[in-house]
């Protein structure tokens, strides 16, 4: 079975965090961001935060929309159930102070439920920490940047979602 829609991008985990949020959900959620440090993924329904173990190597973010809930794949190193509401039908993949890494147009606005899963966190951290031990005063910034880009491991965060229901009407 193929996903109904899929979007993949690369994002730098600014302050070790990548966020996904509805295009109209501008306000950050400090409690959810803090919870992601312990849970890897945490959110408040409009914002999701992925917590990486490093902040220099880009991570892969993959959002897949399915017609029905999906099983967590065997290659997942961890996972958690999630729900995400998008009143606009547009999800933003954000890099905190670095700005958006991309946007995904959902098939329709509404509440999506599913699983967030990840892999490659520990391998990327080991590479990151090993590289930090090697860097000395003779390294040029271009060398360091190239070394981050050439990480042989992919740290990946995946959202496997399916449409659950329309958004609740506003109570104005």
């Amino acid at each position: 079975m193929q996903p109904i829609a899929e979007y993949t991008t690369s994002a730098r985990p600014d302050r070790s965090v990548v966020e996904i949020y509805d295009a109209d959900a501008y306000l950050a959620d400090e409690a959810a961001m803090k919870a992601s440090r312990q849970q890897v993924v945490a959110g408040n329904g409009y914002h999701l935060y992925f917590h990486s173990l490093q902040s220099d190597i880009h991570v892969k973010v993959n959002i897949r929309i399915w017609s029905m809930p999906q099983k967590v794949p065997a290659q997942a190193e961890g996972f958690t159930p999630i729900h995400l509401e998008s009143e606009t039908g547009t999800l933003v993949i954000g890099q905190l102070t670095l700005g958006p890494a991309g946007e995904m147009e959902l098939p329709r606005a509404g509440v999506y439920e599913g699983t967030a899963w990840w892999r490659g966190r520990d391998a990327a951290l080991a590479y990151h920490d090993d590289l930090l031990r090697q860097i000395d005063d003779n390294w040029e910034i271009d060398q360091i940047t190239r070394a981050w880009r050439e990480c042989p491991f992919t740290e990946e965060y995946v959202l496997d979602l399916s449409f659950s229901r329309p958004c609740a009407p506003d109570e104005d």
Side-chain angles (χ1 to χ4, degrees), residues 86-155:
S86 177
E87 293 179 353
T88 66
T90 302
L91 295 180
V92 177
I93 297 85
Q95 307 168 107
L96 298 182
T97 61
L98 300 174
E103 289 186 357
M104 178 186 188
E105 294 297 325
L106 296 169
R108 62 193 275 198
V111 178
Y112 288 79
E113 295 183 6
T115 306
W117 59 271
W118 55 90
R119 65 179 168 187
R121 292 175 82 233
D122 292 330
L125 175 64
Y127 177 84
H128 179 268
D129 289 353
D130 185 50
L131 188 61
L132 285 178
R133 285 189 287 278
Q134 296 175 40
I135 295 172
D136 61 25
D137 292 340
N138 296 323
W139 280 60
E140 300 287 331
I141 194 77
D142 293 352
Q143 256 182 300
I144 297 168
T145 303
R146 185 172 44 257
W148 294 142
R149 276 195 317 261
E150 293 173 353
C151 178
F153 308 102
T154 301
E155 181 175 352

Side-chain angles (χ1 to χ4, degrees), residues 5-114:
E6 184 171 11
Y7 181 77
T8 301
T9 192
S10 171
R12 182 169 169 215
D14 186 18
R15 295 185 178 99
S16 298
V17 173
V18 173
E19 62 180 334
I20 296 179
Y21 57 91
D22 178 69
D24 274 351
Y26 298 108
L27 298 177
D29 184 324
E30 292 297 321
M33 191 180 309
K34 184 177 180 181
S36 74
R37 289 187 210 124
Q38 300 299 315
Q39 302 168 6
V40 182
V41 178
N44 63 8
Y46 292 96
H47 263 92
L48 281 180
Y49 297 94
F50 297 108
H51 188 267
S52 174
L53 298 172
Q54 54 80 31
S55 61
D56 297 301
I57 300 168
H58 279 71
V59 302
K60 181 178 176 182
V61 177
N62 191 1
I63 304 169
R64 303 184 298 197
I65 309 301
W66 301 88
S67 60
M68 60 188 349
Q70 298 296 297
K71 291 182 181 177
V72 177
Q75 72 264 30
E77 294 172 0
F79 66 92
T80 189
I82 55 104
H83 73 277
L84 189 59
E85 185 167 345
S86 177
E87 293 179 353
T88 66
T90 302
L91 295 180
V92 177
I93 297 85
Q95 307 168 107
L96 298 182
T97 61
L98 300 174
E103 289 186 357
M104 178 186 188
E105 294 297 325
L106 296 169
R108 62 193 275 198
V111 178
Y112 288 79
E113 295 183 6

